[in-house]
C-alpha cells in the first residue's frame, strides 16, 4: 500500500537522523513544500568542528538536563541545519512543512517561525512546552505524528 505524504516524509526523517553525531539524541528533519523535499538536517557539530562522538558530549560533562541550556552544546539542531542548508542553496522555506523525529525546542521554534514554516509534524516528545506555545501564538499548525 502506498504511504501517505506524512508517512513518506517521516520515514525519510528516520534515515536522515542516522547521520547524527549526537551522543544523547539522534534527530532528523526534512523541510518540504508542495510534497517536494527542500532540505534535510540532522543534529551534529558545525563543519570543520570535531563531533561529540570524537571528543565527548559537553552537555554530559556539564550534567546539563535535556531541554535546558541549549547553548551548552557543540552541535546544531536538525531543524537549524535544515534551515541553514536551504539558505546556503538559496531555497525559500516560506510556506513549508517541516517533519522532525522529535518536537522542536523553543530556539528552533523561533527560527522555524521566522523561516516561514507553516506546519510542523513531529514524532517524539521533547521537554520544552514554550516551543508549542510559540507555534500556537504564531498560528503554526503543529501535528504530533500518529495523532492526526
Amino acid at each position: 500500500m502506498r504511504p501517505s505524504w506524512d508517512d513518506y516524509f517521516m520515514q525519510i526523517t528516520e534515515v536522515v537522523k542516522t547521520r547524527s553525531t549526537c551522543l544523547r539524541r539522534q534527530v532528523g528533519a526534512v523541510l518540504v513544500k508542495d510534497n517536494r523535499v527542500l532540505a534535510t538536517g540532522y543534529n551534529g557539530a558545525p563543519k570543520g568542528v570535531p563531533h561529540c562522538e570524537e571528543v565527548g558530549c559537553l552537555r554530559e560533562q556539564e550534567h546539563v538536563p535535556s531541554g535546558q541550556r541549549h547553548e551548552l552544546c557543540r552541535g546544531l539542531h536538525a531543524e537549524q541545519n535544515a534551515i541553514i542548508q536551504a539558505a546556503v542553496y538559496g531555497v525559500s522555506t516560506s510556506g513549508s512543512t517541516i517533519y522532525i523525529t522529535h518536537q522542536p525546542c523553543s530556539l528552533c521554534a523561533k527560527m522555524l517561525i521566522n523561516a516561514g514554516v507553516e506546519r510542523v509534524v513531529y514524532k517524539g516528545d521533547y521537554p520544552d512546552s514554550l516551543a508549542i506555545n510559540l507555534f500556537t501564538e504564531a498560528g503554526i499548525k503543529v501535528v504530533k505524528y500518529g495523532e492526526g
Side-chain angles (χ1 to χ4, degrees):
M1 189 160 107
R2 193 172 189 198
S4 70
W5 287 114
D6 282 354
D7 291 341
Y8 175 70
F9 292 120
M10 285 305 295
Q11 288 174 27
I12 294 172
T13 67
E14 293 294 329
V15 173
V16 171
K17 83 175 189 181
T18 65
R19 293 281 307 154
S20 171
T21 58
C22 179
L23 299 175
R24 283 183 142 187
R25 182 186 319 256
Q26 289 68 50
V27 180
V30 178
L31 274 165
V32 173
K33 186 170 183 180
D34 299 327
N35 294 327
R36 301 292 176 255
V37 174
L38 302 177
T40 64
Y42 52 87
N43 53 332
K47 281 195 272 186
V49 176
H51 292 279
C52 297
E53 59 189 12
E54 300 168 64
V55 296
C57 176
L58 178 62
R59 293 177 64 79
E60 286 293 324
Q61 294 163 9
E62 298 292 327
H63 307 289
V64 178
S66 184
Q68 297 178 20
R69 305 288 315 269
H70 298 107
E71 75 280 6
L72 294 178
C73 180
R74 303 183 63 75
L76 292 157
H77 289 187
E79 304 92 320
Q80 294 167 345
N81 273 325
I83 292 168
I84 291 165
Q85 184 184 71
V88 165
Y89 291 101
V91 176
S92 173
T93 57
S94 183
S96 65
T97 294
I98 191 162
Y99 292 86
I100 319 163
T101 55
H102 292 79
Q103 177 206 304
C105 71
S106 56
L107 293 175
C108 288
K110 291 182 269 188
M111 291 179 194
L112 292 168
I113 291 165
N114 277 1
V117 172
E118 293 182 350
R119 183 170 176 254
V120 174
V121 181
Y122 72 94
K123 195 173 187 179
D125 292 322
Y126 188 75
D128 190 341
S129 59
L130 176 58
I132 300 299
N133 293 342
L134 290 168
F135 287 136
T136 301
E137 290 174 13
I140 307 243
K141 183 173 182 173
V142 178
V143 176
K144 183 167 183 186
Y145 180 70
E147 293 183 6

